[in-house]
């Protein structure tokens, strides 16, 4: 077994860390959070210029052909810095799906533009009633004459307000089908939800949106099995962001415990504080081992349903514990908006709930155990 | 990165499994890696001694040790796989006091050539049983406060004082005993280690202590002018603290064994939930609360086991193991207790029934209501010690805080 990062992965990590440090001070991130769009276009361009939007795309589409594991390491750093913008939506939900399921025409039309930072993609899965469970989807693509009409509501769609294309998982006669929908199509309307963290989430209504067979991704009724794969990838990507965030919280907390003096001593010298920090460290170490393993399995295309759900269920609870203890050690200073802690607290809450909550993934584990 | 075992490693794993299928008694329910079962029940101790000989014949005792002491100079991952497979099956015979970061490693690191020549070959041949002599009534977490006195008189160390909570001492042949050789030096500077052959040393008496589980597996050990040859000093005189640290860091990998052992109990519990129905006739396995609780302990065990693999990886690559070792130690204790708690919640009043030791004594033929042979009751009672033995969770957290670079705790003002 080898838990180590390759030289290239270390380099990617360092580049990302340096970029975030110099270009993205937290004051700026807090400003972006108040803007309805959520991020400035020049930041998205900078991210693309670094080669990140094309990181996992093949060279023929303008990418650098890196692995999902490399992407997971990048996402850790992005999570650590709370980088705003539609990165996970565009790359993990969007581009990777187009790459795997798209026709050559779809791939050539979309992927090079993603790599250049010209397009934003996302995927609409969750519904008000069914959430992520595709068996209960209500949004339907009805086959009418030579086309399909798409009607229904998707919820918690990340970055749909800025997306150029939305991949929609729809009920079709006999299964679930993915459609690549131009976000400007007549009948598509989008409303921002008042979400807690920096990530933008939307309600997207589809009202008789007209589609053809050529808008399908992966063919008729092949969506269900593929959605499992998308969910696994998204869950690991989200875990990677949370892992990076948790790492930053621990570092901030340790620094504060060393600097802050109470009763004449640095508070980090008191066991009550030390044990909080030790508990945070343990949760972080344990999370890192499991998330790297899950990301690696996804990356290698090996069976990973059990490991991914274990990782997501664990990371959700662990990042909640880590941020809570971080607050406890910081005291009153960190529940001020000026402080950075709340960025991570919000990231943890949203992270635990998205792409399958801890309870959802625990149930996946129970099923995998044959219960 | 690669999270798989190599084909060669998998082949060795299969070899160990085949060996266990052949050599373990039929329907073996498994002993725990803390040896409390085998030290408390003579019939299990006998199976252990027989298995020890069989492991020796396979060349699996002292697997990684130098050939000149009878070892096999095999890579560490083989030892790790061996430990994993034996532990999951609850197979005895690989005495942790000798082979899993125990005396053997201490002798290799700190022993004289004569000491190694004398003791390592008999360990490799499976002839002796080990123990360790650390704790005292006033030296548990504050181990540096140990008071058992050793004075050099002619060719002998003369030992006076007391140890306590000494697992396995009543059946052991040899143990490193932590003694005070200079009462005038600072607490942790006046400590030495002496190799004591319990059965051959007059002046040693023992009293068995019964644990809350009912097992009598550990002892108070009294030293009354007990004479040990002076060449049995391990390492330097008053240089014992370094060895204490080494021994404790080895002991923390004990968390890995707890975690693998508990997998057997989790599997048992899952089986129970599939086979047992509630009042409505619905299998417990379909109950949402039960499913969630079981999934949670499975996740916790799996996460912690991964940290265990990371620890192995760090040990193999020469990385810094401190925080990872502490993490495993802490998670091992907490996870095993959590499994027992969840098991008890699921099994309700049936869970608290059972004979001493659980699974191990002949069941009372009139007892119709004990389930899983009383394993859950035993597990609940015996895992209480898992956050305490081999360094409490709190001491491990102190060490983790140290590894994070937090300042040392302020010392109390000196007494006037």
């Amino acid at each position: 077994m080898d838990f180590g990062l390759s030289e290239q992965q270390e380099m990617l990590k360092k580049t990302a860390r340096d970029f975030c440090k110099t270009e993205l001070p937290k004051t700026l991130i807090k400003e972006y959070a108040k803007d309805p769009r959520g991020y400035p276009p020049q930041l998205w361009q900078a991210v693309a210029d670094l080669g990140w939007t094309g990181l996992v795309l093949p060279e023929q589409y303008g990418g650098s052909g890196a692995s999902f594991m490399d992407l997971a390491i990048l996402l850790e750093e992005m999570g650590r810095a709370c980088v705003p913008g539609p990165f996970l939506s565009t790359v993990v939900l969007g581009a990777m799906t187009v790459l795997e399921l798209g026709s050559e025409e779809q791939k050539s039309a979309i992927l090079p533009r993603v790599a250049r930072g010209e397009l934003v993609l996302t995927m609409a899965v969750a519904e008000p009633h069914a959430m992520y469970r595709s068996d209960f989807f209500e949004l339907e693509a009805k086959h009418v004459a030579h086309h399909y009409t798409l009607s229904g509501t998707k919820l918690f769609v990340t970055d749909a307000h800025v997306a150029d294309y939305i991949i929609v998982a729809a009920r079709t006669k006999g299964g679930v089908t993915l459609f690549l929908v131009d976000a400007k199509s007549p009948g598509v309307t989008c409303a921002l939800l008042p979400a807690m963290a920096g990530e933008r989430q939307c309600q997207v209504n589809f009202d008789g949106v007209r589609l053809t067979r050529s808008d399908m991704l992966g063919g008729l009724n092949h969506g269900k099995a593929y959605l499992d794969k998308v969910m696994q990838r998204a869950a690991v990507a989200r875990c990677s962001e949370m892992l990076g965030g948790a790492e930053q919280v621990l570092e901030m907390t340790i620094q504060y415990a060393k600097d802050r003096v109470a009763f004449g001593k640095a508070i980090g010298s008191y066991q009550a504080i030390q044990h909080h920090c030790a508990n945070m460290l343990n949760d972080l170490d344990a999370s890192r081992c499991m998330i790297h393993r899950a990301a690696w399995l996804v990356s290698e295309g090996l069976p990973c349903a059990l490991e991914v759900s274990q990782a997501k269920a664990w990371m959700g609870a662990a990042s909640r514990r880590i941020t809570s203890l971080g607050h406890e050690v910081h005291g009153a200073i960190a529940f001020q908006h000026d402080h950075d802690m709340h960025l991570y607290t919000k990231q943890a809450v949203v992270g635990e709930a998205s792409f399958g909550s801890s309870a959802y993934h625990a149930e996946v584990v129970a099923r995998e155990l044959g219960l | 990165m690669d999270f798989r075992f190599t084909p060669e490693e998998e082949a060795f794993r299969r070899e160990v499994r085949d060996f266990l299928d052949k050599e373990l008694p039929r329907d073996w329910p498994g002993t725990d890696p803390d040896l409390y079962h085998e030290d408390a029940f003579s019939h299990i101790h006998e199976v252990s001694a027989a298995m020890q000989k069989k492991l020796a014949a396979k060349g699996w005792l002292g697997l990684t040790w130098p050939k000149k002491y009878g070892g096999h100079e095999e890579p560490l991952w083989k030892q790790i796989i061996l430990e994993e497979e034996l532990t999951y099956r609850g197979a005895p015979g690989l005495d942790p006091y000798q082979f899993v970061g125990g005396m053997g490693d201490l002798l290799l690191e700190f022993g004289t050539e004569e000491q190694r020549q004398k003791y390592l070959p008999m360990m490799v041949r499976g002839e002796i049983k080990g123990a360790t002599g650390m704790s005292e009534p006033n030296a548990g977490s504050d181990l540096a406060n140990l008071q058992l006195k050793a004075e050099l008189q002619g060719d002998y160390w003369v030992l006076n004082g007391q140890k306590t909570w000494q697992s396995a001492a009543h059946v052991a042949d040899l143990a490193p005993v932590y003694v005070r050789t200079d009462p005038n030096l600072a607490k942790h500077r006046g400590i030495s280690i002496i190799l004591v052959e319990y059965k051959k040393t007059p002046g040693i008496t023992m009293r068995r202590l019964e644990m809350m589980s009912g097992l009598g597996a550990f002892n108070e050990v009294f030293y009354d002018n007990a004479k040990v040859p002076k060449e049995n000093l391990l390492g330097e005189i008053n240089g014992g603290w370094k060895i204490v640290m080494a021994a404790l860091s080895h002991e923390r990998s004990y968390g890995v064994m707890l975690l693998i052992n508990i997998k057997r109990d989790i599997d048992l519990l899952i089986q129970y939930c599939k086979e047992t129905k509630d009042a409505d006739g619905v299998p417990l396995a379909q109950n949402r609360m039960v499913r969630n609780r079981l999934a949670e302990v499975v996740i916790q065990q799996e996460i912690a086991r991964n940290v265990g693999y990371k620890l192995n990886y760090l040990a193999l690559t020469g990385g810094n193991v401190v925080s990872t070792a502490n993490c495993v130690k802490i998670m091992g204790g907490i996870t095993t207790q959590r499994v027992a708690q969840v098991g008890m919640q699921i099994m309700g009043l049936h869970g608290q029934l059972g004979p001493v030791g659980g699974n191990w004594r002949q069941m009372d033929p009139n007892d119709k209501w004990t389930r899983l042979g009383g394993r859950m009751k035993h597990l609940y009672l015996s895992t209480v010690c898992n956050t305490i033995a081999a360094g409490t969770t709190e001491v491990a957290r102190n060490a983790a805080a140290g590894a994070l670079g937090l300042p040392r705790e302020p010392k109390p003002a000196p007494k006037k």
Side-chain angles (χ1 to χ4, degrees), chain B residues 255-293:
Chain B
V256 174
M257 296 180 70
L258 292 180
L259 285 162
I260 294 164
N261 188 59
I262 202 69
K263 186 70 171 42
R264 197 171 62 248
D265 295 305
I266 293 174
D267 293 348
L268 206 61
L269 201 51
I270 288 172
Q271 197 55 36
Y272 175 84
C273 292
K274 286 181 183 171
E275 290 167 357
T276 309
K277 290 177 176 160
D278 66 13
D280 298 324
V282 180
L284 292 177
Q286 289 175 25
N287 177 302
R288 274 190 176 274
M289 184 279 275
V290 169
R291 295 168 72 82
N292 186 270
R293 293 269 160 86

Side-chain angles (χ1 to χ4, degrees), chain A residues 1-5 254 258 265 269 271 274-275 278-279 282 285-286 290 293 296 310 362-363 370-371, chain B residues 1-2 4-5 274 291 295 302-303 306-307 310 313 323 327 330 394 397-398 401 404-405 407-410:
Chain A
M1 278 194 194
D2 180 4
F3 282 72
L5 301 188
I254 296 299
K258 286 178 182 172
K265 299 268 193 288
S269 66
Q271 278 195 355
Q274 291 185 346
H275 287 195
N279 288 337
N282 285 343
D285 278 349
M290 194 62 200
R293 181 169 157 209
W296 181 82
Q310 285 172 335
E363 178 55 28
L371 285 171
Chain B
M1 268 184 203
D2 194 333
R4 283 168 300 192
F5 286 99
K274 286 181 183 171
R291 295 168 72 82
E302 181 66 17
I303 300 282
N306 261 287
V307 184
K310 173 87 175 278
Y313 164 77
S323 71
C327 184
I330 291 170
E394 287 65 35
R397 285 180 182 137
N398 289 351
L404 282 169
R408 291 185 77 94
E409 198 186 14

Side-chain angles (χ1 to χ4, degrees), chain A residues 124-140:
Chain A
V125 181
E127 294 192 8
H129 172 65
M131 285 306 291
Y132 295 105
R133 298 173 66 186
S134 57
D135 291 340
F136 302 100
F137 282 169
E138 286 167 357
L139 181 139
E140 194 182 3

